[in-house]
Amino acid sequence: MTQVNEHAVAARMPTLDRLLPVWIGAAMVTGLLAGRWIPGLGTALDAVQVDGVSLPIALGLLVMMYPVLAKVRYDRLDTVTGDRRLMVASLVLNWVLGPALMFALAWIFLPDLPEFRTGLIIVGLARCIAMVVIWNDLACGDREAAAVLIALNSIFQVIAFAVLGWFYLSVLPGWLGLPQTGLDTSAWEIAKNVLIFLGIPLVAGYLTRKLGERAKGRDWYESRFLPKIGPVALYGLLFTIVILFALQGEAITSRPLDVARIALPLLAYFTVMWAGSFAFGKAIGLSYPRTVTLSFTAAGNNFELAIAVAIATFGVTSGQALAGVVGPLIEVPILVALVYVSLRLRARWTAHNPSPSPTKE
């Protein structure tokens, strides 16, 4: 019975979603080859920047996030903010366990490579506010919960990123008798990143729903309008991946052994964070949609911020910047795989619960 449910879940996914690993793999390869073989492409793409991020990537992220945030039912957000288990669990996983786990893995796997180690710690401090909306939606997570947790991460990112960077790169290594590193970043720089990459699509999504429902009603908005803009999110994701890897193609392909060393702790991090968060959400009694939302918001990272901070502090050719670049190289395929793991777990969850929790509509 469970096996039937698993196939039924996959069969209901649109073709674009069902073959997402293929499209993402093709996008990554296309970007890497383009960046490697087309002279001057990376320089041209990076010529105009938005808060330290290439303009094409910034546009891709905004296009990617808007359709999903337009799907959120903002009149239901109070049901999320009132769920103390979810809110507290998210804060602990994102701002206590996540950075601590990345710090530990960076030192375990890269004790002899301080630049890469520092870059990974920066990745661990940058909690996800962008691509997680795609993974959560594909895995049938709670859209309203995702919107609230992303906003919560954004607030804490502005407040805590620089403080935690100082703690994990200077204070804690000093306590443990390990080499120390400085991190030069400001709350204002991080706030600009949040306002651009979360604020713009969030406001656009909210206004679209509000004005669309006022003009045509909720039934029209959700049955006619949303299906038309839905695929745009995945187009934006694929565009972003192509541009990202085109910009960093030479750095990645010219240092394969370094990439492999950096990849190992990242693989461990994403797997452990997602699986641990999923098990924890289930253990404290969250529904499947909120459990999977908790898992993806805890496991994902804001690679745009991590790369921007690493480049601004240590330079574009630094090992720290390379570690930030390798982050999405590992994160994207791993979290796509975990979307499919989530859907299998959802089928089993439903099979063991005759009255399953509501999922996305």
Side-chain angles (χ1 to χ4, degrees):
M1 178 178 178
T2 300
Q3 190 67 24
V4 173
N5 283 338
E6 291 169 4
H7 288 304
V9 169
R12 286 196 299 270
M13 295 177 70
T15 301
L16 181 64
D17 295 3
R18 192 162 59 248
L19 297 179
L20 187 61
V22 176
W23 312 137
I24 285 182
M28 292 171 69
V29 171
T30 300
L32 288 171
L33 294 180
R36 181 75 176 178
W37 291 344
I38 300 178
L41 178 62
T43 302
L45 292 173
D46 209 27
V48 181
Q49 297 189 349
V50 176
D51 196 33
V53 178
S54 168
L55 179 60
I57 289 182
L59 292 175
L61 290 170
L62 295 177
V63 170
M64 176 187 75
M65 293 181 69
Y66 162 69
V68 180
L69 292 172
K71 294 177 182 178
V72 173
R73 290 183 173 178
Y74 292 92
D75 55 351
R76 292 185 177 179
L77 295 185
D78 59 336
T79 66
V80 180
T81 56
D83 189 341
R84 292 185 179 180
R85 293 172 304 171
L86 177 66
M87 303 290 280
V88 172
S90 179
L91 287 176
V92 172
L93 289 168
N94 274 286
W95 297 102
V96 179
L97 295 182
L101 176 62
M102 188 68 91
F103 175 86
L105 290 172
W107 275 99
I108 290 170
F109 283 91
L110 304 171
D112 57 329
L113 297 171
E115 289 190 358
F116 297 160
R117 186 175 63 238
T118 298
L120 285 184
I121 292 172
I122 294 172
V123 170
L125 298 176
R127 313 311 299 170
C128 197
I129 64 171
M131 282 192 178
V132 69
V133 298
I134 296 287
W135 316 136
N136 179 73
D137 214 47
L138 291 172
C140 300
D142 186 320
R143 291 187 186 121
E144 288 70 39
V148 170
L149 296 187
I150 290 169
L152 192 66
N153 271 352
S154 301
I155 294 169
F156 270 80
Q157 203 148 249
V158 173
I159 298 171
F161 185 92
V163 175
L164 288 176
W166 167 72
F167 177 75
Y168 280 106
L169 294 175
S170 296
V171 177
L172 185 57
W175 290 350
L176 299 175
L178 302 171
Q180 302 173 45
T181 306
L183 182 62
D184 182 19
T185 188
S186 69
W188 171 238
E189 292 298 319
I190 299 167
K192 286 195 297 181
N193 182 282
V194 169
L195 288 172
I196 293 169
F197 297 113
L198 175 63
I200 292 175
L202 183 62
V203 170
Y206 173 78
L207 291 177
T208 301
R209 176 172 280 277
K210 186 176 181 66
L211 297 176
E213 288 188 358
R214 179 182 297 172
K216 297 279 191 173
R218 175 163 288 188
D219 287 343
W220 173 88
Y221 183 83
E222 296 191 342
S223 64
R224 301 285 297 277
F225 179 73
L226 289 182
K228 290 182 179 179
I229 67 168
V232 173
L234 292 182
Y235 300 148
L237 171 66
L238 296 175
F239 174 80
T240 302
I241 291 171
V242 170
I243 299 301
L244 175 68
F245 289 106
L247 281 168
Q248 307 297 342
E250 185 173 357
I252 292 172
T253 56
S254 64
R255 303 172 68 177
L257 294 180
D258 290 341
V259 169
R261 288 288 304 270
I262 298 168
L264 290 175
L266 285 169
L267 283 168
Y269 173 83
F270 293 126
T271 303
V272 170
M273 278 301 294
W274 187 92
S277 300
F278 194 96
F280 184 65
K282 186 171 176 57
I284 63 176
L286 296 179
S287 64
Y288 168 83
R290 291 193 176 178
T291 295
V292 81
T293 297
L294 178 69
S295 301
F296 280 105
T297 51
N301 289 86
N302 185 352
F303 64 82
E304 309 91 358
L305 175 61
I307 293 172
V309 169
I311 290 175
T313 305
F314 302 103
V316 69
T317 60
S318 65
Q320 292 89 341
L322 179 62
V325 168
V326 175
L329 177 69
I330 305 304
E331 177 178 352
V332 170
I334 287 294
L335 293 190
V336 169
L338 290 173
V339 166
Y340 286 83
V341 172
S342 300
L343 293 175
R344 285 182 172 269
L345 293 173
R346 174 177 178 250
R348 294 174 181 174
W349 194 310
T350 302
H352 293 127
N353 295 274
S355 300
S357 301
T359 58
K360 69 175 185 175
E361 298 173 6

